[in-house]
Amino acid sequence: MKKFHCIVVAIDFSPSSRNALCEAARLAAYEESALTVVHVVEQELANAIGQSLKLDVAGVIAHVHKSLEHFIAQSGAGAMPIASEVRIGNPFVSLVLSCQKHKADLLVMGSRGSQHGIGQVGAVAAQCVRKAPAEVLIVKEDFTGPHRHVIACVDLSETSAKAVQFARRIAEQDGSRLDCLFVDQSTLRLSADYGGYLPPLPTLDTAKAIDAWQKELDAFLEPLLRNSTVREKRNIVMERMGIRDAIMEHIQETQASLVVLGTRGKTDLRTLITGTTAEKVLQHAPCSILAVKPDGFEYHVA
């Protein structure tokens, strides 16, 4: 089962980031993971603070650090040890550097900053999902744990196997239900009418196709969920034309509070290209999202 050894939390003093800190502390307490809170001050703002208060760079950092410590103390994150740091620079670059410094395997962020509307995912959060050198948990602004229902999205890839393991770990901690969801598009796509531009295709037996996928899904998940203490788990095959629509439908049906899904990678480029499904789920899901990176993924800031 996957574990979180070091968790970094991005804080911008918004209510959403307060929820992110509480969720990160909750996850860290389960395995006594190291927990570090990071706040990034953009250069222009740091200059303004320095000029206004007549402080040098070290003075600005110390001044903001006091506010960060107060935020942590008032967050309700509990009594576990929490390290903190203030960085000056580009928020995304600074968070990447912080993840690298602490060798973080999880970056936790609120779904939106103070400048974003309800339901919107901030630009920095979206960029971190694509490129940060860690798994990224985006916590919705109205979430308070524990999770009651977790969905792991499965496409039978190695990355989705990691997603299942992380979903299992959280479901076991929270005593939540776990659904492992596979979406079969093949039969619908082959039977679609492309306006006469394709020759007639043979009639497909949908029931047999779904049964075959169910057996393959069960075999894929068996070693990943063996000896699991999840109180209720289901392996589900849905037949839909659109994967995102199927995931969204299942979220609504189950009222799940967390979706765990893998992202696609190109190891030769050592960079990440997030699949359109992950992007759309990130922007539209009414619940928290844990985006899992391919093994060996790296990102180097310029």
Side-chain angles (χ1 to χ4, degrees):
M1 184 177 68
K2 293 291 184 182
K3 295 183 179 182
F4 300 122
H5 300 285
C6 179
I7 300 175
V8 167
V9 190
I11 295 296
D12 61 4
F13 299 110
S14 67
S16 187
S17 68
R18 187 188 304 274
N19 281 1
L21 174 55
C22 291
E23 177 67 356
R26 210 174 60 75
L27 293 174
Y30 186 64
E31 294 162 339
E32 298 184 345
S33 309
L35 180 60
T36 299
V37 169
V38 181
H39 174 69
V40 182
V41 184
E42 295 194 60
Q43 187 66 59
E44 186 176 351
L45 178 57
N47 293 342
I49 294 172
Q51 291 174 4
S52 175
L53 301 178
K54 295 181 172 54
L55 298 173
D56 59 12
V57 172
V60 170
I61 291 176
H63 176 78
V64 176
H65 200 269
K66 289 181 181 178
S67 297
L68 181 59
E69 289 291 332
H70 178 73
F71 181 88
I72 294 170
Q74 298 298 315
S75 68
M80 70 170 299
I82 301 176
S84 59
E85 66 181 43
V86 174
R87 289 174 173 265
I88 296 176
N90 175 277
F92 165 69
V93 172
S94 297
L95 289 174
V96 168
L97 292 174
S98 184
C99 287
Q100 292 172 340
K101 171 187 173 183
H102 298 288
K103 297 181 180 179
D105 42 31
L106 180 66
L107 171 63
V108 183
M109 309 180 69
S111 60
R112 65 189 182 98
S114 57
Q115 298 179 355
H116 300 92
I118 295 175
Q120 291 182 323
V121 174
V124 175
Q127 196 171 14
C128 286
V129 166
R130 290 192 296 269
K131 298 179 180 179
E135 326 302 352
V136 179
L137 173 61
I138 304 297
V139 180
K140 286 294 183 178
E141 60 267 23
D142 58 352
F143 174 74
T144 55
H147 294 285
R148 297 180 302 277
H149 204 125
V150 177
I151 299 172
C153 300
V154 183
D155 63 4
L156 309 182
S157 67
E158 291 182 5
T159 306
S160 72
K162 286 180 63 179
V164 170
Q165 291 175 306
F166 280 122
R168 168 186 171 175
R169 177 244 182 268
I170 294 172
E172 288 182 345
Q173 174 179 351
D174 289 355
S176 61
R177 297 181 177 88
L178 173 62
D179 287 350
C180 295
L181 177 66
F182 176 86
V183 182
D184 171 27
Q185 294 178 293
S186 57
T187 53
L188 286 176
R189 283 187 170 181
L190 285 174
S191 61
D193 180 3
Y194 287 90
Y197 288 101
L198 290 178
L201 294 168
T203 302
L204 300 169
D205 189 326
T206 301
K208 285 186 178 179
I210 291 179
D211 183 61
W213 280 121
Q214 186 70 59
K215 290 177 180 177
E216 190 162 353
L217 177 63
D218 292 344
F220 178 81
L221 293 172
E222 193 280 329
L224 301 174
L225 298 177
R226 189 180 298 148
N227 301 321
S228 171
T229 60
V230 174
R231 67 184 179 93
E232 182 181 337
K233 53 184 181 291
R234 299 186 298 173
N235 303 342
I236 299 172
V237 175
M238 293 180 68
E239 185 190 39
R240 296 290 187 277
M241 183 68 81
I243 296 177
R244 188 212 71 169
D245 291 341
I247 295 171
M248 298 295 290
E249 178 184 329
H250 198 63
I251 293 171
Q252 295 291 347
E253 178 185 329
T254 61
Q255 296 297 298
S257 57
L258 177 67
V259 171
V260 187
L261 73 173
T263 54
R264 291 200 310 245
K266 282 192 174 183
T267 54
D268 56 330
L269 298 179
R270 293 192 177 275
T271 187
L272 182 71
I273 300 174
T274 304
T276 55
T277 296
E279 290 276 12
K280 290 177 180 178
V281 172
L282 174 67
Q283 292 296 332
H284 297 284
C287 61
S288 299
I289 305 291
L290 173 55
V292 177
K293 306 292 173 61
D295 281 337
F297 171 74
E298 298 177 16
Y299 180 81
H300 299 287
V301 296

